[in-house]
């Protein structure tokens, strides 16, 4: 069964290749979307090529809703977006994928039922399809090569939905080790400061205090793990032992 998470339905209008439907399912599920609707697939339904390409997201295909027209696929929705790269002479708001999915998230939070339509691979949606939409999603692609594959467009829109609807961690330490505490970094700084002081590094004397502050600042800028700290302690201990042996 579909997840209970509020989300838009993605409507594939007359898709032509089963592989693209399967790849679209993968793209949706990568970002937590599982409401797929399909109208009049050219090669029939179910489609084994779609299943093979879905690879892990086959549940979306099993639960996809099949319709015989665009109007039927969106008739229960309160707001519909149409993804298209070409101006069609229809006066509608035109949004980037980012703005559209942010708007969709707000609408869904208010209880609206939202759909995003994606046209067939060969020529995209017809004006009759786009006329059913309330707004257009236009991807800011290279104007000299503006055609997006169906699955690519679904993936891009799915990603923007995730950005708009979930708490995203934009920067983190990708490490299994625990991050070093301030106390551990302080002990490392003291170790190096003591060894460097013995070696006569802090010279001349009137600049020593400032040099020590700069060194402490260097340690504080480094996102050290506990493993990093142990290695750096070991490096300095070995250097001191080597000097003493000499």
């Amino acid at each position: 069964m579909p997840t209970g998470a509020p989300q838009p339905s993605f409507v594939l209008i007359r898709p032509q290749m089963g592989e693209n439907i399967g790849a679209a399912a993968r793209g949706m599920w990568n970002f937590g979307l599982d409401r797929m609707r399909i109208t009049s697939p050219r090669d029939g339904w179910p489609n084994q090529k779609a299943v093979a390409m879905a690879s892990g997201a086959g549940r979306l295909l099993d639960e996809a809703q099949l319709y015989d027209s665009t109007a039927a696929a969106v008739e229960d929705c309160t707001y519909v977006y149409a993804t298209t790269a070409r101006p069609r002479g229809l006066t509608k708001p035109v949004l980037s994928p980012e703005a559209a999915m942010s708007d969709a998230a707000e609408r869904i939070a208010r209880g609206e039922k939202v759909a995003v339509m994606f046209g067939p691979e060969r020529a995209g949606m017809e004006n009759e399809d786009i006329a059913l939409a309330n707004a257009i999603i236009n991807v800011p692609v290279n104007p000299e090569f503006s055609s997006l594959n169906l699955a690519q467009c679904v993936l891009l829109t799915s990603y923007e939905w995730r950005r708009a609807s979930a708490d995203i961690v934009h920067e983190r330490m990708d490490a299994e080790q625990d991050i070093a505490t301030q106390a551990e970094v302080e002990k490392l700084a003291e170790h190096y400061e003591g060894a460097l002081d013995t070696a006569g590094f802090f010279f001349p004397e009137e600049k020593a205090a400032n040099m020590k502050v700069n060194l402490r600042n260097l340690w504080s800028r480094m996102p050290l793990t506990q493993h990093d700290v142990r290695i750096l302690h070991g490096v300095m201990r070995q250097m001191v032992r080597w000097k003493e042996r000499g």
Side-chain angles (χ1 to χ4, degrees):
M1 293 294 291
T3 65
Q7 59 181 269
S9 295
F10 276 21
V11 185
L12 310 188
I13 307 296
R14 300 182 298 278
Q16 296 172 313
M17 298 178 62
E19 292 90 341
N20 281 334
I21 300 173
R26 288 187 67 176
M28 289 175 63
W29 191 228
N30 280 148
F31 297 101
L33 290 162
D34 62 0
R35 313 281 170 81
M36 177 181 279
R37 300 181 179 188
I38 306 172
T39 76
S40 306
R42 184 192 67 183
D43 295 337
W45 198 257
N47 185 297
Q48 288 306 308
K49 291 183 178 179
V51 173
M53 184 61 76
S55 183
R59 178 178 67 80
L60 273 70
L61 304 180
D62 294 338
E63 297 164 359
Q65 296 175 289
L66 196 63
Y67 298 87
D68 58 8
S69 71
T70 305
V74 299
E75 66 180 359
D76 63 333
C77 297
T78 58
Y79 204 86
V80 179
Y81 304 88
T83 58
T84 179
R86 297 181 296 171
R88 302 298 187 105
L90 299 174
T91 302
K92 296 180 185 295
V94 179
L95 308 175
S96 68
E98 180 180 12
M101 291 301 95
S102 178
D103 181 60
E106 292 175 3
R107 291 179 182 280
I108 290 171
R110 295 197 298 264
E112 292 192 45
K113 197 164 186 177
V114 171
V116 183
M117 301 191 300
F118 301 85
E121 297 91 321
R122 184 178 60 82
M125 279 177 278
E126 302 293 339
N127 274 6
E128 289 76 10
D129 302 313
I130 299 172
L132 297 172
N134 302 99
I136 288 173
I137 298 176
N138 188 255
V139 181
V141 294
N142 176 7
E144 296 180 4
F145 189 61
S146 60
S147 177
L148 278 177
N149 174 274
L150 169 61
Q152 291 174 324
C153 193
V154 168
L155 178 70
L156 187 153
T157 309
S158 300
Y159 168 68
E160 292 297 351
W161 166 257
R162 186 74 171 182
R163 290 185 63 208
S165 61
D167 293 328
I168 305 298
V169 177
H170 291 283
E171 184 174 351
R172 61 187 171 87
M173 282 292 292
D174 189 15
E176 295 181 0
Q177 294 88 1
D178 293 330
I179 302 301
T181 66
Q182 290 292 325
E184 289 167 334
V185 175
E186 175 65 19
K187 288 182 180 178
L188 179 67
E190 290 173 355
H191 183 183
Y192 271 69
E193 188 175 298
L196 290 171
D197 201 9
T198 300
F201 176 77
F202 300 110
F203 179 84
E205 185 176 347
E206 61 270 19
K207 294 185 178 181
N210 191 51
M211 293 172 71
K212 291 178 180 179
V213 169
N214 288 337
L215 188 60
R216 294 296 178 100
N217 188 50
L218 182 151
W219 293 122
S220 69
R221 292 202 313 269
M222 298 173 66
L224 297 169
T225 66
Q226 293 177 348
H227 181 64
D228 295 332
V229 168
R230 290 193 294 271
I231 288 176
L232 289 168
H233 275 300
V235 167
M236 182 53 76
R237 282 193 293 268
Q238 190 61 31
M239 291 178 67
V240 170
R241 291 188 189 117
W242 175 80
K243 179 63 178 175
E244 290 172 347
R245 286 198 300 270

